[in-house]
């Protein structure tokens, strides 16, 4: 068996930070990396050299030889299909021109400290000062503060351990601790050796604490990173786009979600648009006050008046839902009629008929999923939403009862109450749902239902704020979204690639929008692209962090994605663009369409 067997390693990123990591994945499939190490290192050096002097007449030839050797060395063990083979990316390149990776648009959300309030300028300066004064005993907390102050992530947890949500942030913190050596090797500042430095450290900490001294919640709602993200998100929403946001820690993610919902609620109430909320919980009032001030609405926020408006409009919304409830079974029966009687959705419809108390929560769920098209949607659309909803709500071991691949009447009757309970739990909340949050404690069924709703073009949520560790793997969020906002800087480009990969997938909204734009003769400069929007505070360590990340990201793409000369280095120089295109064309390609692979495989 050992002589004929094969080992298969499946990974999206064989290496993430440094080319030496190729050795790890090769060892996992039983390959001795030592003979390959010189070729891998030689290719890494060739990439650096050709980027440094791309117009040197000799460098492209040297790079081509190194790329060929690199491909030949790894081809027996590696297969990988990348975006160079995507029909949509190829169509974009034909319309736009080189390079192949221009279909992604990195568009920074930049914050200029000089335009901030005095207290926030002092806070950012304090964070920078602290980064030079940390002590060994306190460096972990304050180092996190230095890396994240500019984006609203971990500010409070860095300032005061009691403000961290230990339960919801535990997995994220443990993950970052494991990656600490890779994240910022050799980057720990020297410890202060004098009492004077310790006193300065305490003084700068006091400056930071003063930013949050009066109202922690209000301070986060006013944080410049969150404020910049809100403005970018709302601008995208006005253009009909959904937005996927990645964050790290619970408090800032929660503040961002609450603020987005509060601002949208106040706007909808002012415009007499329906808002699926009947009351105003105490937990939301601080966000509503901040939103009222930020939107510069007249007067002071009046909670009683807002709650009266919510109650009035909610009655109208309930009347519309009642009309939908009265027609629900008829619509589903018509929409599901093409399916055989034994099909799972039809079995569950029979269970609904037998237990009509499930009609109300199911109707609310389907109306939320269908969005503004619910009233006029055809029975087939209601049926499609029903199938997606029950598929998302049922756990795998519930899907076919006894595991025979079928759902009989008794199994459907047992499953149906569980599904109804999940519909009610997910869609009967008092909080707004314009923006939703996904974190470590979000149940698997809720994650799946959020995925269904987010992939619908006209439904809430319009914004999904996902904790990085939770949302960057295993979710397909591409059907109605092409914009990713990154609230924090990473050291690992593989993580960012995973985040963007949630929307950069086959059958994505971007692919459909591109096809429509090309067919409609849209000017090249207006072609839709996948937008990647990191929030960056200018002139801070945060900006340096992003620069390092992009360098590492470029290294990853030069080895796996066929991108040797990045778009940012080309600019408007036509000669440089032509040379970059020629160099990128020499990049190694490990597609299975290019040759046979008869040994161990990783890809």
């Amino acid at each position: 068996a050992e002589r004929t067997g094969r080992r298969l390693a499946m990974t999206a990123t064989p290496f993430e930070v440094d080319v030496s990591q190729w050795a790890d994945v090769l060892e996992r499939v039983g390959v001795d990396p030592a003979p390959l190490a010189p070729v891998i290192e030689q290719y890494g050096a060739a990439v650096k050299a050709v980027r440094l002097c791309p117009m040197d007449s000799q460098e492209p030839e040297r790079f081509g030889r190194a790329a060929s050797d690199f491909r030949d060395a790894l081809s027996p063990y590696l297969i990988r299909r990348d975006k160079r083979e995507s029909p949509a990316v190829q169509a974009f390149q034909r319309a736009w021109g080189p390079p192949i990776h221009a279909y992604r648009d990195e568009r920074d959300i930049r914050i200029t400290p000089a335009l901030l309030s005095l207290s926030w300028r002092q806070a950012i300066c304090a964070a920078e000062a602290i980064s030079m004064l940390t002590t060994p005993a306190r460096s972990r907390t304050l180092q996190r503060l230095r890396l994240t102050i500019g984006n609203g992530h971990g500010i409070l947890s860095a300032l005061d351990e009691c403000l961290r949500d230990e339960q919801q942030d535990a997995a994220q913190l443990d993950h970052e601790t494991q990656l600490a050596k890779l994240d910022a090797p050799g980057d720990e500042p020297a410890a202060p050796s004098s009492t004077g430095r310790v006193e300065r450290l305490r003084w700068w900490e006091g400056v930071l604490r003063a930013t949050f001294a009066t109202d922690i919640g209000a301070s986060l709602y006013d944080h410049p990173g969150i404020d910049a993200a809100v403005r970018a998100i709302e601008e995208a929403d006005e253009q009909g786009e959904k937005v996927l946001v990645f964050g790290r820690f619970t408090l800032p993610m929660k503040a961002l979600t609450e603020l987005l919902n509060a601002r949208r609620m106040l706007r909808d109430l002012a415009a007499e648009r329906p808002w699926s909320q009947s009351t105003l919980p105490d937990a939301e009032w601080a966000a509503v006050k901040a939103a009222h001030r930020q939107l510069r609405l007249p007067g002071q926020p009046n909670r009683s008046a807002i709650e009266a408006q919510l109650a009035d409009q909610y009655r109208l919304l309930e009347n519309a839902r009642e009309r939908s409830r009265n027609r629900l079974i008829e619509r589903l029966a018509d929409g599901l009629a093409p399916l055989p009687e034994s099909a799972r959705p039809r079995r569950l419809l029979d269970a609904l008929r037998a237990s009509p108390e499930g009609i109300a929560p199911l109707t609310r769920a389907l109306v939320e999923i269908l969005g503004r098209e619910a009233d006029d949607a055809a029975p087939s659309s209601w049926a499609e939403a029903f199938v997606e909803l029950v598929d998302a709500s049922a756990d795998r071991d519930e899907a076919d009862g006894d595991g025979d691949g079928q759902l009989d009447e008794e199994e459907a009757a047992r499953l149906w109450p569980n599904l109804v309970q999940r519909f009610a739990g997910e869609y009967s909340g008092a909080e707004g749902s314009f923006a939703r949050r996904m974190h470590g404690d979000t149940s698997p069924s809720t994650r799946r239902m959020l995925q269904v709703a987010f992939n619908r073009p006209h439904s809430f949520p319009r914004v999904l704020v996902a904790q990085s560790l939770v949302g960057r793997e295993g979710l397909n969020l591409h059907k109605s979204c092409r914009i990713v906002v990154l609230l924090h800087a990473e050291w690992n480009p593989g993580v960012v690639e995973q985040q963007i990969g949630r929307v950069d997938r086959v059958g994505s909204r971007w692919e459909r929008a591109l096809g429509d734009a090309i067919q409609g003769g849209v000017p090249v400069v207006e072609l839709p692209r996948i937008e990647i929007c990191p929030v960056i505070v200018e002139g801070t360590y945060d900006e340096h962090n992003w620069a390092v990340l992009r360098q590492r990201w470029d290294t990853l793409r030069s080895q796996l994605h066929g991108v040797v000369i990045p778009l940012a280095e080309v600019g408007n120089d036509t000669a440089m663009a032509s040379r970059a295109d020629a160099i990128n064309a020499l990049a190694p390609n490990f597609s299975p369409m290019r040759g046979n692979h008869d040994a161990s495989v990783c890809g």
Side-chain angles (χ1 to χ4, degrees), residues 360-484:
L362 175 61
T363 302
R364 175 160 183 166
L366 292 177
V367 168
E368 290 285 333
I369 289 174
L370 290 166
R372 62 174 182 263
E373 64 180 14
D375 287 340
D376 300 324
S380 59
S381 296
W382 282 82
E384 180 186 0
F386 175 73
V387 171
E388 290 182 354
L389 180 65
V390 297
D391 284 348
S393 304
D395 294 333
R396 289 184 178 180
D397 57 354
E398 298 176 316
D400 61 356
D402 57 11
D404 62 357
Q406 301 292 326
L407 194 71
D408 61 32
E409 292 181 12
E410 292 184 4
E411 292 167 344
R414 288 196 301 268
L415 173 60
W416 183 247
N418 295 335
L419 299 186
V420 171
Q421 186 177 12
R422 289 165 195 163
F423 302 156
E426 181 64 23
Y427 289 98
S428 62
E431 72 279 358
S433 58
F434 169 74
R436 291 289 304 274
R437 186 165 56 92
M438 184 186 295
H439 49 81
D441 287 345
T442 304
S443 68
S445 61
T446 295
R447 295 183 198 186
R448 293 193 298 267
M449 284 189 274
L450 279 174
Q451 178 176 269
V452 168
F454 191 67
N455 277 328
R456 286 264 174 175
H458 303 300
S459 70
F460 279 6
R462 305 291 303 169
V463 184
L464 183 59
V465 182
Q467 191 168 30
S468 176
L469 189 61
V470 175
R472 68 180 187 240
E473 294 180 341
L475 290 173
N476 296 322
L477 303 168
H478 60 293
K479 294 182 179 179
S480 297
C481 178
R482 63 177 184 86
I483 299 175
V484 180

Side-chain angles (χ1 to χ4, degrees), residues 250-269:
T250 299
L251 287 175
M253 290 167 57
K254 186 172 182 286
L256 175 62
T257 306
E258 290 173 347
L259 188 58
L260 285 166
N261 281 326
R263 288 168 65 102
R264 179 59 179 260
M265 181 190 73
L266 292 178
R267 284 194 175 107
D268 281 359
L269 290 178

Side-chain angles (χ1 to χ4, degrees), residues 165-236:
D165 191 320
E166 294 289 352
Q167 182 178 1
Q168 293 191 5
D169 293 340
Q172 184 75 36
L173 291 168
D174 288 345
H175 176 73
E176 292 184 5
T177 300
Q178 294 297 322
L179 294 179
K181 292 183 179 179
L182 290 176
D183 281 352
D187 198 40
E188 194 73 34
S193 57
S194 68
T195 302
R197 286 191 176 185
V198 172
E199 290 302 314
R200 285 200 293 274
L201 171 62
R202 291 173 180 168
W203 189 86
W204 281 116
E205 283 187 82
V207 173
L208 275 170
R209 292 178 188 278
T211 306
F212 304 97
T214 55
D215 188 335
I216 292 169
S219 296
L220 268 181
Y221 296 134
D222 293 326
H223 187 280
I226 291 177
D227 176 68
V230 164
R231 295 178 187 277
I233 290 166
E234 290 180 342
E235 181 181 350

